[in-house]
């Protein structure tokens, strides 16, 4: 992304020469997929791109080694999908021995239902339906378990019985990327049912999770907020939100619900303004952190970047600068950047997650790099949930098999330009007036942020 071909080539060669997955190591299926499998596939796509938009990222004598490594890893993850009565995978697998004998039969919705992008890309690159099939089967199994009355899903499920162990329905931890990947799978693969599931899910989220006034910037009542509810009743379960939910405005940008995205983003930025970071959980009723650490998460930065791309409002450049300065001031350490143990006391932990580089720094860099090839590609690239870039092209829209959706016509596709925000509830059934987002509204939004900080 930064055009540093020599470092990219050095890193790729280091991985090829030194990394092996033939290890007696138990890993999380979800994290191994989005972090490791996703990065291998993204790098392979960049290396083999004939146009090389980022500069010369080719590797001399490259023989698809990263693709073969991705295949090797995915094969080692496949046992997680076996011997489950629902098709929903085990949360952990040993790379040498398969599913541990004492493995947990409970998994979260996001962990089991956010594998389709990476597994689908691998299947379509290899011409082998196995990986997409197991990931898609898991998504459809979870979808079939949604409540008949509310249409909502819980956050923890038993993979053998299909019983919901965690009945909380929300947009944060345990659920977030499930919704993200319904939409992104459609964008990549063009399967109609992915978009239909996302549209239904989004409609139910609006109906049951959204609180506050109907319009974002006008009317009486509190600013819009998405809360955690009981999946069976839609009743409020607690009074906290978590930092992972800050990804949702970015997802709303992708479907064109820009106005609601603006308002929700403002709420999270107001919390950032108060602490110089986002606490892992924030209790909006007590107006204080419930869980006070901040592990350098990227979700607010991601939404800021996508909102700037959608609106070109300079306000979001100011937000990005504010976030950048906070990171420099509070998290910079001798050898990198550190997790904040407490957002109020600003104490640090000796930990820097990989997503800080793959997402937080990358989105900040792209926010300010107007001339980046990504921005001149005509939306030819998409980010995975871990911030890896993959090209949106015909290779992934043409499957070489017909067994992915055996009970339906899998050839029915929707063209990319048909992706629009559908008619949801009245509060987001709007066509945004593009002109208003081009106006220099920094002062108006700063007043709104200051007002929200006061409320918080």
């Amino acid at each position: 992304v930064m055009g540093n071909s020599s470092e990219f080539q050095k890193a790729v060669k280091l991985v090829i020469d030194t990394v092996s997955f033939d290890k007696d190591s138990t890993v999380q299926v979800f994290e191994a997929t989005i972090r490791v499998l996703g990065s291998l596939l993204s790098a392979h796509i960049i290396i083999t791109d004939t146009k090389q938009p980022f500069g010369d990222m080719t590797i001399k004598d490259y023989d698809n080694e990263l693709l073969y490594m991705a295949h090797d890893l995915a094969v080692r993850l496949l046992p997680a999908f076996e011997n489950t009565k629902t098709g929903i995978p085990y949360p952990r697998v040993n790379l040498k021995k398969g599913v541990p004998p004492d493995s947990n039969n409970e998994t979260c919705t996001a962990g089991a239902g956010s594998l389709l992008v990476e597994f689908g890309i691998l299947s379509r690159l290899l011409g082998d339906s196995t990986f997409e099939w197991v990931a898609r089967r898991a998504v459809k199994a979870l979808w079939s378990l949604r409540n008949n009355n509310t249409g909502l899903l819980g956050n923890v499920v038993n993979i053998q019985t299909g019983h919901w162990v965690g009945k909380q329905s929300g947009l944060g931890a345990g659920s977030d990327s499930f919704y993200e990947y319904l939409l992104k799978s459609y964008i990549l693969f063009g399967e109609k049912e992915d978009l239909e599931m996302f549209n239904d899910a989004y409609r139910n989220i609006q109906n049951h999770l959204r609180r506050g006034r109907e319009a974002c910037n006008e009317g009486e009542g509190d600013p819009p907020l998405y809360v955690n509810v009981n999946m069976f009743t839609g009743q409020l379960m607690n009074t906290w939100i978590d930092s992972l939910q800050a990804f949702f405005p970015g997802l709303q940008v992708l479907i064109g619900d820009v106005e609601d995205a603006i308002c929700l983003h403002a709420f999270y930025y107001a919390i950032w303004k108060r602490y110089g970071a986002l606490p892992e959980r924030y209790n909006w009723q007590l107006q204080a952190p419930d869980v006070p650490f901040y592990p350098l998460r990227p979700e607010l930065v991601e939404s800021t970047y996508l909102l700037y791309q959608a609106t070109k409002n300079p306000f979001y450049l100011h937000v990005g600068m504010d976030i950048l300065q906070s990171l420099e001031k509070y998290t910079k350490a001798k050898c990198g950047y550190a997790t904040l143990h407490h957002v109020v006391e600003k104490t640090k932990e000796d930990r820097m997650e990989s997503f800080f580089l793959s997402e937080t720094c990358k989105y900040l860099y792209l926010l300010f790099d107007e001339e980046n090839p990504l921005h001149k590609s005509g939306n030819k690239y998409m980010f995975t949930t871990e911030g890896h870039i993959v090209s949106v092209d015909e290779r992934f829209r043409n499957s070489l098999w017909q067994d992915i959706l055996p009970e339906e016509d899998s050839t029915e596709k929707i063209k990319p330009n048909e992706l629009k925000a559908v008619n949801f509830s009245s509060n987001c059934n709007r066509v945004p007036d593009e002109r208003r987002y081009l106006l220099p509204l920094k002062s108006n939004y700063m007043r709104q942020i200051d007002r929200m900080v006061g409320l918080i």
Side-chain angles (χ1 to χ4, degrees):
V1 169
M2 300 176 77
N4 192 336
S5 57
S6 61
E7 285 300 311
F8 176 79
Q9 291 161 349
K10 187 187 300 182
V12 169
K13 290 174 183 175
L14 191 64
V15 169
I16 292 173
D17 293 341
T18 64
V19 174
S20 168
F21 300 119
D22 187 27
K23 298 186 184 300
D24 184 7
S25 178
T26 299
V27 301
Q28 290 186 12
V29 175
F30 171 62
E31 298 292 356
T33 298
I34 65 171
R35 300 197 196 202
V36 186
L37 186 63
S39 62
L40 290 170
L41 292 170
S42 176
H44 170 76
I45 291 168
I46 290 168
I47 292 167
T48 56
D49 188 341
T50 57
K51 296 180 180 178
Q52 289 295 306
F54 302 102
D56 185 8
M57 300 292 163
T58 58
I59 305 293
K60 186 180 179 181
D61 300 323
Y62 180 71
D63 191 24
N64 298 321
E65 287 93 342
L66 296 187
L67 180 60
Y68 295 139
M69 291 179 69
H71 180 238
D72 177 45
L73 174 60
V75 168
R76 295 172 187 275
L77 298 177
L78 280 181
F81 297 85
E82 300 169 3
N83 302 317
T84 80
K85 295 178 181 177
T86 61
I88 301 170
Y90 285 92
R92 287 177 172 80
V93 67
N94 185 286
L95 294 177
K96 259 191 174 179
K97 302 174 183 177
V99 177
D102 59 346
S103 188
N104 192 348
N105 281 321
E106 297 174 1
T107 191
C108 69
T109 302
S114 306
L115 310 172
L116 184 51
V117 166
E118 289 81 6
F119 273 52
I121 290 172
L122 180 63
S123 273
R124 292 173 190 239
L125 286 175
L126 295 173
D128 179 352
S129 64
T130 304
F131 307 101
E132 181 172 346
W133 189 83
V134 296
R136 190 172 289 281
R137 180 180 61 170
V139 171
K140 294 174 74 171
L142 287 165
W143 186 248
S144 70
L145 296 175
R146 67 194 187 283
N147 182 259
N148 291 332
N149 296 321
T150 65
L152 299 175
L153 293 83
N155 60 343
V156 180
V157 67
N158 185 298
I159 65 172
Q160 302 296 354
T161 65
H163 173 71
W164 287 106
V165 180
K167 301 173 178 60
Q168 176 176 297
S169 190
L171 300 178
S175 301
D176 52 348
S177 55
F178 175 78
Y179 302 113
E180 177 186 2
Y181 267 23
L182 288 179
L183 181 59
K184 289 186 175 179
S185 294
Y186 161 70
I187 293 172
L188 267 186
F189 308 130
E191 301 289 354
K192 183 178 179 181
E193 78 160 359
D194 293 337
L195 182 60
E196 290 174 341
M197 284 189 288
F198 175 81
N199 286 342
D200 283 346
Y202 192 80
R203 185 181 298 110
N204 294 326
I205 287 168
Q206 295 294 327
N207 288 338
H208 297 289
L209 273 61
R210 192 182 188 276
R211 300 290 193 273
R213 59 176 176 253
E214 183 173 317
C216 172
N217 290 310
E218 57 189 29
E220 300 296 323
D222 296 326
L225 177 67
Y226 291 83
V227 299
N228 300 315
V229 303
N230 185 299
M231 64 170 289
F232 298 106
T233 65
Q235 297 298 307
L236 186 70
M237 282 195 72
N238 49 57
T239 58
W240 53 259
I241 53 174
D242 65 48
S243 61
L244 288 169
Q245 293 178 6
F247 92 99
F248 199 66
L251 190 63
Q252 291 181 306
V253 167
L254 293 185
I255 62 161
D257 197 358
V258 178
E259 188 162 333
D260 216 48
I262 288 171
C263 222
L264 186 60
H265 173 275
F267 179 82
Y268 282 97
Y269 178 49
I271 300 174
W272 184 285
K273 287 282 286 184
R274 180 168 185 180
Y275 299 106
L278 272 186
E280 190 72 351
R281 284 186 185 176
Y282 179 80
N283 192 309
W284 45 265
Q285 187 175 72
L286 299 178
Q287 301 179 10
D290 265 0
V291 180
F293 74 88
Y294 169 64
L296 306 171
R297 289 202 189 278
E299 284 75 18
L300 179 61
V301 182
E302 178 185 6
S303 290
T304 302
Y305 164 69
L306 291 169
L307 271 165
Y308 180 67
Q309 288 299 309
T311 66
K312 295 301 179 184
N313 191 318
F315 167 72
Y316 296 106
L317 297 177
H318 291 275
V319 174
M321 182 59 72
D322 199 7
I323 292 172
L324 180 61
Q325 291 173 341
S326 295
L327 291 171
E328 283 289 310
K329 182 177 180 180
Y330 299 122
T331 73
K332 189 172 178 63
K334 183 178 180 181
C335 299
Y337 290 78
T339 290
L340 285 183
H341 181 70
H342 200 292
V343 297
V344 177
E345 299 169 0
K346 302 299 188 292
T347 49
K348 298 182 180 71
E349 295 181 13
D350 186 11
R351 178 162 62 107
M352 187 179 86
E353 294 276 0
S354 66
F355 53 65
F356 176 68
L357 294 176
S358 69
E359 296 184 81
T360 310
C361 291
K362 187 183 297 175
Y363 289 126
L364 274 172
Y365 178 81
L366 287 170
L367 174 65
F368 299 110
D369 186 14
E370 298 272 8
E371 302 301 313
N372 194 278
L374 271 174
H375 303 144
K376 300 191 170 194
S377 70
N379 297 320
K380 291 295 194 300
Y381 290 92
M382 188 191 79
F383 295 96
T384 70
T385 194
E386 196 68 8
H388 302 303
I389 55 173
V390 294
S391 52
V392 179
D393 58 43
E394 288 302 317
R395 278 186 302 174
F396 304 133
R397 286 188 161 251
N398 297 318
S399 60
L400 303 177
W401 53 84
Q402 297 298 320
D403 60 338
I404 292 296
L405 303 172
E407 70 276 16
E408 297 178 319
D409 178 12
S410 64
T411 62
E412 184 176 9
K413 310 284 185 184
I414 302 176
K415 296 177 182 178
N417 61 4
E418 291 179 7
L419 177 61
K420 297 187 178 99
V422 297
N423 292 333
F424 301 112
S425 56
S426 60
N427 60 283
C428 54
N429 181 14
R430 295 184 296 270
V431 178
D433 180 355
E434 294 181 359
R435 291 168 299 175
R436 65 172 293 191
Y437 300 127
L438 297 177
L439 298 175
L441 298 178
K442 175 181 180 292
S443 58
N444 292 340
Y445 279 103
M446 285 307 296
R447 280 197 291 272
Q448 179 180 338
I449 297 298
D450 291 340
R451 188 166 62 250
M452 293 178 79
V453 170
L455 292 173
I456 291 169

